[in-house]
Amino acid sequence: MHIWGLREMLLEVEGLEIRYGRVPAVRDLTFGIAEGEFVCFVGPNGVGKSTTTLAVAGVVQPAKGSIRFDGHPLAGTLIETIVSKGIALVPEGRRIFGRMSVRENLVVASGVRGGLGRKRAVLDRILELFPILRQRFESPAGFLSGGEQQQLAIARALLTEPKLLVVDEPSLGLAPKYVELVYETFSRIRSEGVTLLIVEQSVRRALKYADRICFMQSGRIVLEGNTPDLAQRTDLELVYFGEGKRD
Amino acid sequence: MISQSLKLLFPGLGLIAILVFAAVVVLFIGSGELEGILTEALIYMIMVIALSIFVGNSGVISFGHVTFALVGAYASAWQTCCSSIRGVFMPGLPEFILHADVPVVLAVLTAALIAAVVAVLAGLIIMRLSSVAASIALLSLLFVFKTIYENWGSLTAGQSSVVGLPVYVNLWVALIWVALTITVAQTYMRSAHGLRLRAAREDEVAARAAGIVVWRERLIAFVISAFFFRYRWRFVRAFPGNTGCKHVLAQHDFPHVGNACRWGLRSLTGAVIGALAVASIRGVLRAFEQGVQIGGGRCRSHRGCRRLHLLSFFY
């Protein structure tokens, strides 16, 4: 495992470039996430945050650069293989299986690791995190509220027992009470040793929950720092809208 | 608890009960024509339900399943047909098959297993393709096998029909196989494998992000489906005691394949009712071709009007 600064890195991204046709969405992106860290990627729409998460999860393949997870390169690896290596993605828009019940949504994801007993234990632990899902266990997932669907999407990802959980815009379209609930859950998941990479548009929320924040502009990280340090700065709004400078 | 268990048994148990009831009613009426229509419907039902195991759960349309019927039909014929003159029809058969006299049920199971093996080999490649590409590849598979079987005269008698096959399908035999196919289809649909495949049909990227290996799940459904796709039953029914490449891809089978793709795409009940409806329409039209007594007169339609049931394919 490589050493990035002084900490061991779980995820290392170097010189990443992703193109949609001829249009570059992410350019020369380099960052690392240490084991157990809670990192937020922040920025307005269209700056490459979601594309970065899709590349990490193997949904899109980079044109250049490398992604290493737990010391192993991920280039050309299939999505499902990446899941089995320990990266779980909760994509934007939740993408639950709406025609299936909550139980069935969870069953489909529970075949990744371990035998029946272990799966049952993992499911029980996850249902403790999301008690509403236990109440709606046999309800069609498509009938759940947005907040409940988001919890289901996160629960489904957690059933694969990831080392790194990647969540794309978990607060999108959610009532404020659900947003708080979802982020409280992230804190609890993190306390169990899961590393978190969250894409978020709200700087305030990122400052409240994350250890480290990466501000993105035009496919690049323009500012990166620990939350306590960034909280002292007064120019975050300018950085967010692309007018600030990287330290 | 009891209601939960009963819920698990439906709709499969309900469908089987309805079909048993229909069979009893038909036998009670004692009409040979009705018995024929119901037996034919049941034979088609096996085909439609088997196809819906793959098509209904994966969303991949397959006109190529007839390949497995072809493979299965000949594999069965090699074991059961006319042992005294088998060498005349198919002189290229290995010695141990040439003089074998295999019991029909064992031959049917062996033939289904051979079809399943072909499905494994073909599926290992085809199931990795995207859904439209997989559909085209499956149809191509059918044409490849049909061409080989039509031209490998020493093993298949080429364009000729293989005659002298034992006839053993009746209403009850067909009903038992329908019940078995429904049970397997329902068990599969409710299994983790069935759920994973339906999840992939709904949203492939989300399914893969949940750790589902889509091609593997498709392959499992494909092989089960190939095993139960019992086309040969139709030969036995419609062309008693013979089989041949020319009977494959018969035009009146397409409504059933279409039915499996359309009505069987989302539910087992749809597949069963669809097969029953198509076979009934065909039966009624055939009856009119032969002449039906209505009131004091006899109503008779032009020959070939049974082909009108092909329209149900487009519905």
Side-chain angles (χ1 to χ4, degrees):
Chain A
M1 195 176 289
H2 286 222
I3 305 294
W4 194 290
L6 293 173
R7 300 181 69 178
E8 286 191 338
M9 289 292 134
L10 183 66
L11 180 75
E12 300 161 79
V13 175
E14 274 190 88
L16 189 72
E17 183 172 316
I18 303 162
R19 293 174 170 273
Y20 291 121
R22 298 171 74 177
V23 182
V26 171
R27 286 179 285 193
D28 196 25
L29 189 73
T30 298
F31 67 92
I33 298 178
E35 207 163 339
E37 235 186 342
F38 185 158
V39 176
C40 266
F41 271 51
V42 173
N45 284 332
V47 296
K49 308 185 299 293
S50 296
T51 302
T52 306
T53 61
L54 292 176
V56 169
V59 180
V60 296
Q61 290 300 321
K64 279 185 196 170
S66 70
I67 302 172
R68 293 177 73 84
F69 179 72
D70 219 1
H72 302 288
L74 294 183
T77 311
L78 296 171
I79 306 171
E80 51 271 29
T81 311
I82 289 178
V83 174
S84 68
K85 284 177 185 290
I87 298 180
L89 170 71
V90 179
E92 188 179 346
R94 302 180 278 272
R95 297 176 80 160
I96 53 148
F97 307 119
R99 288 197 182 93
M100 293 183 176
S101 68
V102 169
R103 179 184 59 79
E104 289 170 336
N105 264 269
L106 297 174
V107 166
V108 299
S110 60
V112 179
R113 290 166 208 271
L116 204 63
R118 182 171 166 187
K119 285 173 194 168
R120 187 75 236 177
V122 174
L123 181 62
D124 284 344
R125 191 165 55 81
I126 286 164
L127 289 175
E128 274 172 32
L129 277 174
F130 303 102
I132 191 73
L133 297 183
R134 198 187 285 276
Q135 290 171 31
R136 305 279 164 91
F137 211 47
E138 294 299 336
S139 306
F143 290 174
L144 300 181
S145 71
E148 289 163 353
Q149 287 187 4
Q150 186 63 271
Q151 291 179 62
L152 176 58
I154 297 167
R156 196 178 67 191
L158 287 174
L159 269 167
T160 65
E161 296 184 80
K163 293 176 191 167
L164 172 65
L165 179 66
V166 182
V167 189
D168 195 358
E169 306 228 18
S171 55
L172 196 71
L174 295 193
K177 70 166 186 173
Y178 278 120
V179 176
E180 290 306 314
L181 181 69
V182 166
Y183 272 85
E184 291 298 338
T185 311
F186 286 150
S187 299
R188 288 164 65 190
I189 293 167
R190 187 240 182 137
S191 70
E192 292 186 13
V194 178
T195 307
L196 290 162
L197 168 57
I198 310 291
V199 167
E200 181 55 70
Q201 294 209 18
S202 164
V203 178
R204 191 171 302 156
R205 202 169 295 124
L207 285 170
K208 185 176 174 185
Y209 291 99
D211 298 325
R212 197 152 54 87
I213 302 174
C214 299
F215 285 80
M216 284 191 77
Q217 274 298 335
S218 307
R220 292 189 174 96
I221 293 174
V222 291
L223 177 65
E224 181 182 354
N226 293 326
T227 310
D229 301 335
L230 292 173
Q232 306 299 318
R233 292 180 64 139
T234 54
D235 61 344
L236 290 182
E237 196 176 333
L238 294 174
V239 173
Y240 186 91
F241 289 108
E243 294 162 41
K245 286 182 182 173
R246 189 175 184 165
D247 278 351
Chain B
M1 189 70 183
I2 293 169
S3 68
Q4 195 76 337
S5 306
L6 278 175
K7 210 175 159 186
L8 280 174
L9 292 171
F10 278 88
L13 191 64
L15 288 169
I16 293 168
I18 290 167
L19 292 173
V20 170
F21 178 73
V24 169
V25 168
V26 163
L27 288 180
F28 182 73
I29 293 169
S31 158
E33 186 62 29
L34 269 181
E35 191 182 332
I37 290 173
L38 186 58
T39 309
E40 190 172 330
L42 291 173
I43 292 164
Y44 277 122
M45 237 172 250
I46 298 167
M47 182 174 121
V48 172
I49 297 165
L51 188 55
S52 77
I53 291 173
F54 176 67
V55 174
N57 291 295
S58 71
V60 177
I61 304 296
S62 171
F63 287 101
H65 264 64
V66 183
T67 308
F68 308 119
L70 183 66
V71 169
Y74 276 101
S76 181
W78 290 333
Q79 301 170 77
T80 58
C81 120
C82 50
S83 55
S84 55
I85 52 166
R86 202 178 290 164
V88 178
F89 278 121
M90 299 170 283
L93 285 174
E95 195 66 25
F96 72 96
I97 297 177
L98 211 50
H99 303 293
D101 198 9
V102 182
V104 176
V105 175
L106 184 61
V108 167
L109 290 174
T110 312
L113 275 175
I114 292 170
V117 170
V118 172
V120 171
L121 297 174
L124 278 171
I125 302 163
I126 296 174
M127 294 303 110
R128 292 171 192 267
L129 301 173
S130 69
S131 81
V132 176
S135 295
I136 295 167
L138 284 168
L139 188 58
S140 308
L141 182 77
L142 169 59
F143 289 126
V144 168
F145 269 81
K146 188 170 184 283
T147 305
I148 292 171
Y149 273 62
E150 270 177 349
N151 291 287
W152 202 345
S154 63
L155 282 184
T156 63
Q159 300 274 356
S160 312
S161 294
V162 178
V163 296
L165 298 170
V167 178
Y168 70 106
V169 177
N170 59 30
L171 184 61
W172 294 108
V173 171
L175 194 59
I176 288 167
W177 277 103
V178 168
L180 183 65
T181 315
I182 286 175
T183 307
V184 170
Q186 180 164 292
T187 306
Y188 172 78
M189 277 175 74
R190 293 191 174 152
S191 71
H193 291 292
L195 288 172
R196 284 186 202 123
L197 189 54
R198 288 208 302 288
R201 182 189 69 187
E202 208 170 309
D203 187 336
E204 188 170 334
V205 172
R208 292 176 67 192
I212 297 170
V213 183
V214 178
W215 73 265
R216 195 170 60 199
E217 299 301 338
R218 277 187 189 161
L219 182 63
I220 292 168
F222 189 61
V223 173
I224 297 172
S225 171
F227 182 89
F228 280 97
F229 195 83
R230 285 293 170 58
Y231 205 79
R232 185 181 172 276
W233 301 86
R234 188 188 63 72
F235 297 139
V236 175
R237 171 72 201 146
F239 308 100
N242 65 41
T243 189
C245 290
K246 63 187 175 190
H247 302 314
V248 174
L249 274 179
Q251 52 186 315
H252 52 262
D253 295 321
F254 274 93
H256 292 283
V257 177
N259 160 41
C261 297
R262 181 177 163 79
W263 298 106
L265 199 61
R266 298 245 177 257
S267 80
L268 192 60
T269 313
V272 170
I273 291 173
L276 203 55
V278 174
S280 303
I281 291 168
R282 186 162 181 269
V284 168
L285 291 173
R286 189 169 54 202
F288 270 95
E289 267 185 33
Q290 289 158 358
V292 175
Q293 204 71 31
I294 299 176
R298 188 169 176 80
C299 185
R300 189 170 181 176
S301 65
H302 285 287
R303 282 188 69 78
C305 89
R306 75 179 76 168
R307 299 286 180 240
L308 284 173
H309 87 291
L310 289 170
L311 292 173
S312 59
F313 175 57
F314 300 105
Y315 176 67

